[in-house]
């Protein structure tokens, strides 16, 4: 009997390998190998259509450390990610607490969650093209945003050959507007996803804690501040880290909104967009583009470790050390 059971388990394990094999093959071909090849090319001088290269050691990384354009792109990335993440987490947290409050007993919560989550189903590229058409500029003022402003008599006034000209607004020549639009699109797409995660975290909190607080006379604001927020700390840490990783990979929206190089004045050029410009435009410097990718990876890992260190629960850490 025991031998029959062992034989059945062996057959089951073999079928498990068969089902897992397609994923492993796809992962190795489209993820693992490109990653290894990127690290490899970072130590070479491969450019253009040439297939020959030589090893240059750490030359590309020495150049990266001194590259002001990389650090400018890094600063742009953090600015747009910050203006996206702070309102995203704040709005999602407020709505999650509101929708999960049993005292309010709001009707249609499921429909409301679905509507909020809908933007996350859209691709970032399609949304970027949509907003580009909404705020586009041409001499005939045909973009919806400029048409709306024209209804109220609002124009961009400038002087030309001694005459005052009423013109349409070229929104994408404004650095604050361009950065704000990128941040808004990111917020609009992702805050519904953040809301769902936070609501899942709230539903996992024991109901007995809220019942005890109500018996002690706590109101909704006190229970949210004293129970919900502390218990959601691990979830918010996860959201922060994953959002930071996504922010470091921000590419489609700034790429498609303007001239594909981060205009105006390269102020919405992110690190991922800078890497694309170096590796796949102009000189096609694959080696230095690979070095930039490795630099982005190193910055992401360093920030994730720093976040975990700064936001970890000190009380739990002291308990473990004491034990």
């Amino acid at each position: 009997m025991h031998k029959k059971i062992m034989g059945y388990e062996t057959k089951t394990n073999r079928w498990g390998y068969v089902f897992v094999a397609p994923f492993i093959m796809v992962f190795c071909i489209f993820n693992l190998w490109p990653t290894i090849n990127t690290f490899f090319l970072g130590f070479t001088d491969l450019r253009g259509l040439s297939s020959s290269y030589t090893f240059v050691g750490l030359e590309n990384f020495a150049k990266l450390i001194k590259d002001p354009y990389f650090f400018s792109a890094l600063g742009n990335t953090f600015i747009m990610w910050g203006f996206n993440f702070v309102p995203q987490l704040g709005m999602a947290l407020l709505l999650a607490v509101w929708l999960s409050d049993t005292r309010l007993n709001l009707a249609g919560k499921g429909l409301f969650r679905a509507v909020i989550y809908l933007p996350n189903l859209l691709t970032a590229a399609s949304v970027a093209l949509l907003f580009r058409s909404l705020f586009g500029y041409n001499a005939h003022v045909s973009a919806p945003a400029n048409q709306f402003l024209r209804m109220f008599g609002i124009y961009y006034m400038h002087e030309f050959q001694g005459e005052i000209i009423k013109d349409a607004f070229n929104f994408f020549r404004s650095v604050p507007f361009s950065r704000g639009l990128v941040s808004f699109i990111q917020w609009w797409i992702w805050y519904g996803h953040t809301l769902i995660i936070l609501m899942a975290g709230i539903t996992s909190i024991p109901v007995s804690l809220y019942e005890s607080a109500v018996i002690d006379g706590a109101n909704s604001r006190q229970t949210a501040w004293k129970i919900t927020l502390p218990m959601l700390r691990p979830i918010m840490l996860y959201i922060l880290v994953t959002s930071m990783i996504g922010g470091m990979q921000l590419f489609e929206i700034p790429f498609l909104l303007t001239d594909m190089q981060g205009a105006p004045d390269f102020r919405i050029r992110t690190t991922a967009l800078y890497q694309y410009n170096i590796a796949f435009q102009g000189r096609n410097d694959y080696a230095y583009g690979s070095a930039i990718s490795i630099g982005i990876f190193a910055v992401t890992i360093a920030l994730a470790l720093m976040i975990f260190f700064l936001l970890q629960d000190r009380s739990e850490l002291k308990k473990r050390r004491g034990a």
Side-chain angles (χ1 to χ4, degrees):
M1 185 67 179
H2 179 69
K3 290 182 179 180
K4 290 183 179 180
I5 294 174
M6 291 294 292
Y8 175 77
E9 290 180 351
T10 303
K11 291 181 180 179
T12 304
N13 291 338
R14 288 175 182 174
W15 277 110
Y17 290 121
V18 172
F19 288 122
V20 172
F23 166 77
I24 295 177
M25 292 175 61
V26 172
F27 174 80
C28 290
I29 295 172
F30 296 103
N31 196 313
L32 181 61
W33 166 243
T35 302
I36 296 173
N37 192 49
T38 298
F39 275 85
F40 174 77
L41 292 178
F43 296 92
T44 67
D45 63 350
L46 181 64
R47 290 184 183 179
L49 299 177
S50 175
S51 60
S52 60
Y53 53 84
T54 57
F55 289 96
V56 295
L58 299 174
E59 182 178 318
N60 290 320
F61 299 98
K63 179 182 177 181
L64 180 64
I65 294 175
K66 300 177 183 178
D67 188 353
Y69 300 107
F70 173 75
F71 289 100
S72 175
L74 189 63
N76 295 335
T77 304
F78 282 128
I79 290 173
M80 289 183 288
W81 171 71
F83 281 105
N84 149 51
F85 178 74
V86 173
Q88 177 190 144
L89 182 62
M91 179 67 73
L93 186 60
L94 180 63
L95 290 174
V97 173
W98 183 45
L99 293 173
S100 302
D101 194 339
T102 55
R103 300 182 190 181
L104 296 177
N105 194 22
L106 296 175
K109 291 188 290 185
L111 177 62
F112 192 65
R113 287 197 298 263
V115 171
I116 292 176
Y117 187 77
L118 280 178
N120 194 250
L121 302 177
L122 304 174
T123 61
S126 61
V127 176
L129 291 175
L130 170 64
F131 277 88
R132 181 177 179 176
S133 64
L134 288 176
F135 293 96
Y137 168 83
N138 58 58
H140 301 290
V141 201
S142 59
N146 276 307
Q147 287 184 3
F148 178 78
L149 294 175
R150 187 173 59 174
M151 290 171 55
F152 296 95
I154 301 175
Y155 297 90
Y156 172 66
M157 312 293 290
H158 63 96
E159 185 177 350
F160 179 73
Q161 295 181 351
E163 296 184 6
I164 301 299
I165 305 298
K166 292 182 178 181
D167 199 357
F169 284 92
N170 192 345
F171 293 98
F172 294 112
R173 294 187 64 179
S174 170
V175 174
F177 177 84
S178 299
R179 284 179 169 176
L181 185 59
V182 172
S183 301
F184 172 79
I185 294 174
Q186 281 288 103
W187 169 83
W188 183 65
I189 291 176
W190 286 103
Y191 88 101
H193 179 266
T194 305
L195 169 65
I196 298 300
I197 294 177
L198 289 174
M199 290 192 67
I202 292 175
T203 55
S204 66
I205 299 175
V207 181
S208 58
L209 295 177
Y210 293 102
E211 293 175 346
S212 300
V214 171
I215 292 173
D216 291 337
N219 55 33
S220 298
R221 182 181 299 178
Q222 290 172 328
T223 55
W225 187 257
K226 297 294 184 179
I227 298 176
T228 305
L229 289 180
M231 297 295 289
L232 284 179
R233 186 171 182 172
I235 300 293
M236 288 192 287
L237 177 60
Y238 165 79
I239 293 172
L240 175 59
V241 173
T242 54
S243 177
M244 183 270 298
I245 294 173
M248 291 297 294
Q249 298 174 355
L250 181 59
F251 173 77
E252 300 98 325
I253 297 172
F255 179 76
L256 293 171
L257 272 181
T258 54
D259 64 346
M260 302 182 183
Q261 293 187 350
D265 300 328
F266 305 107
R267 303 300 290 275
I268 64 169
R269 182 167 65 180
T270 61
T271 51
L273 181 54
Y274 180 55
Q275 187 272 338
Y276 177 86
N277 296 149
I278 293 295
F280 303 106
Q281 292 179 336
R283 297 181 302 170
N284 293 117
D285 194 342
Y286 300 121
Y288 189 53
S290 299
I292 294 173
S293 298
I294 298 172
I296 297 172
F297 174 76
V299 171
T300 304
I301 293 296
L303 289 175
L305 293 175
M306 184 177 67
I307 291 171
F308 274 116
F309 176 77
L310 294 176
L311 298 182
Q312 63 181 335
D313 194 341
R314 305 292 180 180
S315 59
E316 291 293 331
L317 188 61
K318 290 180 180 179
K319 290 179 182 179
R320 293 175 184 175
R321 290 178 178 177

